[in-house]
């Protein structure tokens, strides 16, 4: 039921904060001290957020509703009202309305809802650490390629070549966003040839164990891991499902159907931005059922040890491997993928099924459509055969070619 001025005036403080809801996410929060603050609750990019709209009575009910409606119009356009507020504050602090930071944050607010959580956080960190402090306060229309090169070279000087390349891409996207809004006439990042200003990138393949005896030893070591139970389960599952480390640590219970033996990873979490099916072997389901009583009441299968509201840290699996005695040039969390790819190909499994299960970017040239269920029956058999094969390696059993046992 909508609020009235009378109801607001009569609202009394309690021992805890009281919320009086008006509608459309707008509510009045009455603090124990008697203060009354308007807030707007909203969701963007799957995340719940809150926006302060002013204190009552300085901000009246009518004014609060108007601010709510303005914020919801921004949301309808894909713009986070909190990010827009930051941009506005920057402008009021003496910055021109169309500075690179103001436009950059507006671009970020529209882009962020389409990104995975870890990608979103890294993107904002790159902008706030490596870009905005140097060119953020300058009018975007006055920036030239030479200004962007200085930003890139500053990052290159600390040896972060991959970040330098990403930042170049992000700055270009911000400029193209500005071009589309007639704020600038062109994108100066297109005048920059990174190969002319950055040294060649030393491509490092993810370290992994592929020798059969060494793989068996790794699996034995994982079974004997004495650290956190959730970390041990993550290591065991990583070998069986060989997804990317970020996909594993962000796994949510709602994505799993243990009866159907499937894990369906949403498109937003995938590198290729397409839903991915991971058939679950009997061994994988056993691990999930072991950890289920411990973490199923929360969101994540592998929550952070600092609190279940966050996923496991991106360093946890690699740190566990170091604890087991594997140096970073011997085995990494990403190395489980390389291990599976190498051995499955050596064992004669179909290349197409392996690549689809690895969620690589290959596509059928005849059809532009991506079929996330492509080769699924074959992949189900392969994933169970893979799990059985790892058990044999761990037990030191004789190596048997999987394709000879295919059903």
């Amino acid at each position: 039921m909508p609020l009235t001025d009378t109801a607001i005036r009569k609202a009394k403080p309690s021992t805890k904060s009281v919320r009086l809801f008006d509608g459309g996410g707008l509510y009045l929060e009455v603090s124990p001290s008697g203060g009354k603050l308007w807030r707007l609750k909203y969701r963007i990019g799957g995340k719940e957020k809150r926006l302060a709209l002013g204190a009552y009575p300085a901000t009246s009910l009518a004014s609060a509703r108007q601010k709510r409606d303005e914020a919801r119009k921004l949301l309808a356009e894909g713009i986070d009202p909190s990010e827009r507020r930051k941009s506005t504050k920057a402008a009021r602090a003496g910055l021109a309305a169309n500075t690179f930071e103001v436009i950059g944050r507006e671009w970020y607010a529209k882009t962020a809802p389409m990104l995975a959580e870890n990608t979103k956080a890294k993107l904002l960190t790159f902008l706030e650490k490596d870009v905005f402090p140097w060119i953020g306060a300058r009018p975007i229309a006055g920036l030239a390629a030479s200004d962007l090169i200085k930003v890139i070279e500053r990052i290159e000087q600390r040896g972060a070549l991959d970040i330098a390349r990403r930042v170049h891409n992000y700055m270009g996207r911000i400029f193209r966003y500005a071009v589309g809004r007639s704020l600038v006439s062109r994108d100066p990042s297109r005048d920059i040839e990174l190969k002319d200003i950055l040294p060649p990138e030393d491509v490092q393949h993810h370290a992994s164990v592929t020798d059969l005896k060494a793989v068996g030893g790794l699996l034995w070591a994982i079974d004997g891991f004495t650290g956190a139970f959730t970390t041990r389960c993550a290591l065991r599952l990583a070998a069986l499902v060989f997804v990317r480390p970020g996909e594993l640590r962000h796994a949510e219970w709602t994505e799993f159907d243990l009866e159907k033996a499937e894990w369906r990873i949403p498109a937003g979490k995938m590198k290729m931005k397409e839903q991915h099916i991971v058939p679950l072997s009997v061994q994988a389901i056993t691990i999930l059922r072991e950890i289920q009583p411990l973490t199923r009441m929360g969101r994540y299968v592998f929550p952070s040890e600092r609190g279940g509201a966050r996923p496991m840290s991106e360093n946890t699996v690699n740190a566990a491997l170091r604890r087991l005695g594997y140096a970073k040039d011997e085995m990494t969390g990403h190395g489980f993928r390389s291990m599976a790819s190498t051995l499955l190909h050596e064992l004669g499994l179909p290349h197409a099924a392996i690549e689809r299960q690895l969620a690589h970017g290959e596509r059928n040239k005849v059809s532009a459509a991506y079929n996330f269920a492509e080769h699924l029956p074959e992949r189900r058999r392969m994933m169970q055969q893979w799990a059985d094969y790892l058990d044999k390696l761990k037990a030191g059993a004789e190596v048997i070619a999987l394709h000879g046992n295919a059903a």
Side-chain angles (χ1 to χ4, degrees):
M1 185 175 182
L3 291 174
T4 63
D5 283 311
T6 301
I8 295 171
R9 288 196 300 271
K10 291 183 177 180
K12 302 297 182 183
S14 182
T15 55
K16 295 182 179 180
S17 293
V18 177
R19 295 176 180 176
L20 306 176
F21 291 89
D22 183 62
L26 176 66
Y27 65 90
L28 185 74
E29 185 170 276
V30 183
S31 69
S33 63
K36 298 176 180 179
L37 181 67
W38 291 108
R39 294 187 184 276
L40 176 67
K41 181 172 70 172
Y42 64 95
R43 298 187 70 85
I44 188 165
K47 184 178 181 180
E48 185 176 289
K49 302 184 74 173
R50 284 174 170 76
L51 182 69
L53 301 180
Y56 181 88
T59 300
S60 66
L61 174 59
S63 179
R65 286 172 174 170
Q66 182 179 352
K67 291 182 179 181
R68 172 199 61 192
D69 294 342
E70 291 171 353
R72 297 191 71 82
K73 285 180 182 178
L74 291 175
L75 288 168
E77 297 175 8
I79 298 174
D80 187 335
S82 293
E83 293 298 326
R84 171 59 67 84
R85 175 174 288 181
K86 290 179 183 178
S87 299
T88 302
K89 284 184 177 179
R92 288 175 179 172
L95 301 177
N98 292 332
T99 62
F100 188 85
E101 180 170 355
V102 169
I103 303 306
R105 288 190 180 278
E106 187 169 307
W107 167 79
Y108 172 79
K110 292 183 74 70
T111 303
M114 297 178 284
L115 303 176
E117 287 298 321
N118 59 328
T119 303
K120 186 190 311 183
K122 288 181 179 178
L123 168 54
L124 187 58
T125 297
F126 293 153
L127 293 176
E128 292 184 336
K129 177 182 177 182
D130 294 311
V131 182
F132 293 159
W134 313 109
I135 61 173
R138 295 180 57 182
I140 192 169
L143 292 170
S146 58
D147 299 305
L148 308 191
I149 289 174
K150 290 178 182 178
V151 171
I152 295 168
E153 288 181 335
R154 186 175 285 106
I155 301 171
E156 184 264 334
Q157 287 170 6
R158 68 173 192 262
L161 299 183
D162 180 61
I163 294 178
R165 289 180 170 85
R166 292 191 195 188
V167 165
H168 170 258
N169 175 52
Y170 295 147
M171 290 191 296
R173 292 178 65 182
I174 291 170
F175 269 102
R176 292 191 286 280
Y177 174 83
V179 169
R181 281 147 187 77
S182 300
L183 300 175
V184 296
S185 59
R186 62 187 305 276
D187 168 20
S189 75
R190 294 187 182 277
D191 297 331
I192 300 173
E193 285 287 352
L194 287 181
K195 64 183 180 181
D196 293 337
I197 62 174
L198 294 179
E201 189 171 19
D202 182 17
V203 178
Q204 297 287 333
H205 294 287
H206 296 285
S208 66
V209 174
T210 54
D211 176 80
L212 298 184
K213 289 184 179 179
V215 171
L218 171 63
L219 298 173
W220 269 112
I222 289 173
D223 272 2
F225 181 71
T226 57
F229 179 66
T230 52
T231 304
R232 178 170 171 266
C233 287
L235 287 166
R236 293 166 63 202
L237 193 63
L240 294 169
V241 298
F242 48 88
V243 296
R244 295 178 179 86
E247 295 157 9
L248 180 69
R249 69 188 189 89
H250 282 93
E252 300 180 34
W253 281 113
T254 55
E255 299 164 3
F256 289 84
D257 189 329
L258 299 187
E259 297 302 319
K260 290 184 177 180
E262 277 188 0
W263 173 16
R264 295 203 171 204
I265 307 177
K269 291 185 177 182
M270 297 298 299
K271 182 177 181 180
M272 303 306 296
K273 300 304 176 188
E274 293 150 342
Q275 185 186 105
H276 182 53
I277 298 177
V278 181
L280 300 173
S281 62
V282 172
Q283 291 89 330
I285 292 175
T286 298
I287 295 169
L288 289 165
R289 291 199 186 281
E290 286 177 7
I291 197 174
Q292 194 174 40
L294 181 63
T295 67
R296 65 183 173 187
M297 298 306 293
R299 175 180 176 182
Y300 295 105
V301 178
F302 303 110
S304 168
E305 293 183 31
R306 297 180 180 180
R310 294 186 297 176
M312 173 182 286
S313 164
E314 61 182 333
N315 298 319
T316 300
V317 167
N318 283 336
L321 289 169
R322 305 296 162 263
R323 182 171 174 177
L324 290 172
Y326 291 88
K328 63 181 180 180
D329 59 351
E330 292 179 303
M331 185 64 186
T332 65
H334 208 288
F336 288 108
R337 289 170 59 77
S338 303
M339 182 178 83
S341 177
T342 299
L343 296 186
L344 288 171
H345 278 103
E346 287 182 356
L347 290 163
L349 272 292
H351 172 76
I354 296 171
E355 289 299 290
R356 181 58 70 238
Q357 196 52 57
L358 286 164
H360 281 162
E362 295 186 358
R363 295 291 184 272
N364 186 320
K365 294 181 180 179
V366 177
S367 172
Y370 175 86
N371 179 7
F372 59 81
E374 189 176 6
H375 305 292
L376 189 55
E378 199 169 26
R379 286 156 53 197
R380 291 189 191 282
R381 291 193 296 271
M382 181 182 74
M383 295 299 276
Q384 185 58 57
Q385 291 169 326
W386 172 244
D388 294 340
Y389 183 68
L390 292 183
D391 281 348
K392 290 180 184 297
L393 292 182
K394 185 169 61 175
E398 182 180 356
V399 177
I400 301 174
L402 290 183
H403 60 286
N405 293 337

